């Protein structure tokens, strides 16, 4: 399953978050693959789309939860949404 992880560096944690990102490269836990990661220039927020199991997403949040405010949303692609909608609307 795919998840959209929206993150924002918590107030007072900017320097520590940047240092952790630069020193570790922010690797994924086992069971999680990055589809893409984006940073909003000049801000303290970004987005990370990952694919894998929910327990690995929970682990990812656990690694960064002390420095980031994180919102995790399961997401599906257009084709999957269209298939579901077609079933509901009799197509």
């Amino acid at each position: 399953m795919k998840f959209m992880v929206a993150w924002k560096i918590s107030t007072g944690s900017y320097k520590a978050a940047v240092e952790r990102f630069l020193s570790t490269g922010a690797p994924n836990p086992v069971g999680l693959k990055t589809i893409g990661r984006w940073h909003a220039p000049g801000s303290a927020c970004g987005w990370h789309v990952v694919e894998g199991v929910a327990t690995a997403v929970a682990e990812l949040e656990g690694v960064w939860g002390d420095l980031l405010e994180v919102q995790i949303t399961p997401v599906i692609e257009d084709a999957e949404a269209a298939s579901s909608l077609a079933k509901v609307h009799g197509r």
Side-chain angles (χ1 to χ4, degrees), residues 43-88:
S43 78
C45 64
W47 304 265
H48 188 190
V49 177
V50 294
E51 185 171 21
V53 296
T55 53
V57 178
E59 185 178 336
L60 178 66
E61 193 282 330
V63 170
W64 288 94
D66 62 325
L67 300 174
L68 306 178
E69 298 169 26
V70 178
Q71 180 180 354
I72 300 166
T73 307
V75 295
I76 58 176
E77 295 184 21
D78 280 355
E80 295 167 303
S83 175
S84 296
L85 291 170
K87 290 176 186 174
V88 171

